[in-house]
Amino acid sequence: MPIVQVNMMAGRTNQQKEAMIRKVTDAVMDAVGAPEQNVTVLINEIPKTEFGIGGVSAQTLGR
Amino acid sequence: MPIVQVNMMAGRTNQQKEAMIRKVTDAVMDAVGAPEQNVTVLINEIPKTEFGIGGVSAQTLGR
Amino acid sequence: MPIVQVNMMAGRTNQQKEAMIRKVTDAVMDAVGAPEQNVTVLINEIPKTEFGIGGVSAQTLGR
Amino acid sequence: MPIVQVNMMAGRTNQQKEAMIRKVTDAVMDAVGAPEQNVTVLINEIPKTEFGIGGVSAQTLGR
Amino acid sequence: MPIVQVNMMAGRTNQQKEAMIRKVTDAVMDAVGAPEQNVTVLINEIPKTEFGIGGVSAQTLGR
Amino acid sequence: MPIVQVNMMAGRTNQQKEAMIRKVTDAVMDAVGAPEQNVTVLINEIPKTEFGIGGVSAQTLGR
């Protein structure tokens, strides 16, 4: 029953999110033999104003 | 001081969210005797494009 | 598919944890009509040295 | 490599978020000597309808 | 800078955890083109007494 | 009511954890004017075998 939370900067396409779900699920199945139906992946998109790296927001860093 | 994070698919009404807060708080109070004022419930609504089940997004699954 | 993370101070019995899982699952089912089998509850027990309230650890506060 | 998730009620300005990132990063550096570049701060803004205190949403409480 | 939190039942070997870190990092790199050095994977092992499925702990379910 | 979760590698002393709680609470108070009593800090210590950086565990990296 692995539950994976992916925290990443906002701005990806739905295709990229679908690919993230697919590939992370496969990775978990491979690594610990979890059945596909038991793997949940939750994507948490974080706006650049709320994503801090080294004390500065990604927005201000121009990421 | 229990802090409960409820991750669920987006699309519920404010009444349902209010009921979730009320009922989960009561459940925590019952289970471990926490004082009502000490229980915090945080709801995290996740868009269907970002909620993966068995390798596919809830959006694509038509959930 | 609601996934509930319960963060609470360490020190509860397995009976209390079992009751927490049961009662929180019932609360979620009641509030949004989720099927029982779809509700996951993850308990995160936090040592008192790592649980800060108002700037001081629960340990130092004598909780 | 400390990763700090700040969960707070929605409604702050970008200046306040930038200050949160700066000050929390400095606090972590001070407390455990982590290098600035290794500290990540993720802000999670929670709408008042989804932030429950003592069994009632912050919205209903008029917070 | 994707940060991935993998919540799973306790009991895996260090080899399985190392494989989880490797494969999940590769999956994230593939899906959104993140540089390898920017991907962080945090594994959260949850004891079976604290992992609830359908209202019952994994321990009681004999998982 | 800010709730701060600090994820960091295991191995710090209780003094460092107490300092983390104190300094992060002060930082949050400064940044958004939250009352001291309303700030909760939860420290999540992660073993080096479960903390992945760039596809390899901190343990294997010799961190």
Side-chain angles (χ1 to χ4, degrees):
Chain A
M1 293 285 298
I3 293 153
V4 184
Q5 296 165 292
V6 181
N7 303 281
M8 61 182 184
M9 247 176 260
R12 268 60 182 222
T13 65
N14 282 349
Q15 283 75 17
Q16 286 180 305
K17 293 175 199 174
E18 197 74 47
M20 178 69 86
I21 290 170
R22 178 71 267 162
K23 291 174 187 291
V24 166
T25 300
D26 292 344
V28 170
M29 289 165 65
D30 273 6
V32 294
E36 181 178 60
Q37 271 315 97
N38 285 10
V39 180
T40 303
V41 175
L42 308 178
I43 295 174
N44 176 30
E45 283 211 296
I46 302 167
K48 294 181 180 179
T49 50
E50 297 167 22
F51 200 119
I53 303 162
V56 183
S57 73
Q59 176 85 10
T60 302
L61 287 171
R63 294 287 183 100
Chain B
M1 294 285 299
I3 293 153
V4 183
Q5 295 165 292
V6 180
N7 303 281
M8 61 182 184
M9 248 176 259
R12 269 60 181 220
T13 65
N14 281 349
Q15 284 74 19
Q16 286 181 305
K17 293 175 199 174
E18 196 75 45
M20 178 68 86
I21 289 169
R22 178 71 267 161
K23 291 175 187 290
V24 166
T25 300
D26 291 344
V28 170
M29 290 164 65
D30 272 6
V32 294
E36 181 178 61
Q37 271 317 96
N38 285 9
V39 181
T40 303
V41 175
L42 308 179
I43 294 174
N44 177 30
E45 283 212 297
I46 301 167
K48 294 181 180 179
T49 50
E50 298 169 21
F51 200 118
I53 303 163
V56 184
S57 74
Q59 176 84 9
T60 302
L61 287 170
R63 293 288 182 98
Chain C
M1 293 287 297
I3 294 154
V4 184
Q5 294 165 294
V6 181
N7 303 282
M8 61 182 185
M9 247 178 260
R12 268 62 181 220
T13 66
N14 281 349
Q15 284 75 17
Q16 287 180 305
K17 292 175 200 174
E18 197 74 45
M20 177 71 84
I21 289 169
R22 179 70 268 162
K23 291 175 187 289
V24 166
T25 300
D26 291 344
V28 171
M29 289 165 66
D30 273 5
V32 294
E36 181 178 60
Q37 269 316 96
N38 284 10
V39 181
T40 303
V41 175
L42 308 178
I43 294 174
N44 177 30
E45 283 212 296
I46 301 168
K48 295 181 179 179
T49 49
E50 297 168 23
F51 200 118
I53 304 163
V56 184
S57 74
Q59 177 84 10
T60 302
L61 288 171
R63 293 287 183 100
Chain D
M1 295 285 298
I3 293 153
V4 184
Q5 295 165 293
V6 180
N7 303 281
M8 60 182 184
M9 248 176 259
R12 269 63 181 218
T13 65
N14 282 348
Q15 284 73 21
Q16 287 180 305
K17 292 175 199 174
E18 197 75 45
M20 177 69 84
I21 288 169
R22 179 70 268 161
K23 292 174 185 291
V24 166
T25 299
D26 291 344
V28 170
M29 289 165 66
D30 272 7
V32 295
E36 180 178 60
Q37 269 316 95
N38 285 11
V39 181
T40 303
V41 176
L42 308 178
I43 294 174
N44 177 30
E45 284 212 296
I46 302 167
K48 295 181 179 179
T49 50
E50 297 168 22
F51 200 119
I53 304 163
V56 183
S57 73
Q59 176 84 11
T60 302
L61 287 170
R63 293 287 183 99
Chain E
M1 294 286 298
I3 293 153
V4 184
Q5 296 164 293
V6 181
N7 302 282
M8 61 182 184
M9 248 177 258
R12 268 62 181 220
T13 65
N14 281 351
Q15 284 74 18
Q16 287 181 304
K17 293 174 198 173
E18 197 74 46
M20 178 69 85
I21 289 170
R22 179 70 268 161
K23 292 175 186 290
V24 166
T25 300
D26 291 344
V28 171
M29 290 164 64
D30 273 6
V32 294
E36 182 179 60
Q37 269 318 96
N38 286 10
V39 180
T40 303
V41 175
L42 309 178
I43 295 174
N44 177 30
E45 284 213 295
I46 301 168
K48 293 181 180 178
T49 50
E50 296 168 21
F51 199 120
I53 304 162
V56 183
S57 73
Q59 176 84 11
T60 301
L61 287 170
R63 293 288 183 98
Chain F
M1 294 285 298
I3 293 152
V4 185
Q5 296 164 294
V6 181
N7 303 281
M8 62 181 184
M9 248 176 259
R12 268 65 181 218
T13 65
N14 281 350
Q15 284 73 19
Q16 286 180 305
K17 293 175 200 173
E18 197 75 44
M20 177 70 86
I21 290 169
R22 180 70 266 163
K23 291 175 187 290
V24 166
T25 300
D26 291 345
V28 170
M29 290 164 66
D30 272 6
V32 294
E36 182 179 60
Q37 270 316 99
N38 285 11
V39 181
T40 303
V41 176
L42 309 177
I43 295 174
N44 177 30
E45 284 212 297
I46 301 168
K48 294 180 179 178
T49 50
E50 297 169 23
F51 200 119
I53 304 162
V56 184
S57 73
Q59 177 84 10
T60 302
L61 287 170
R63 293 288 182 100

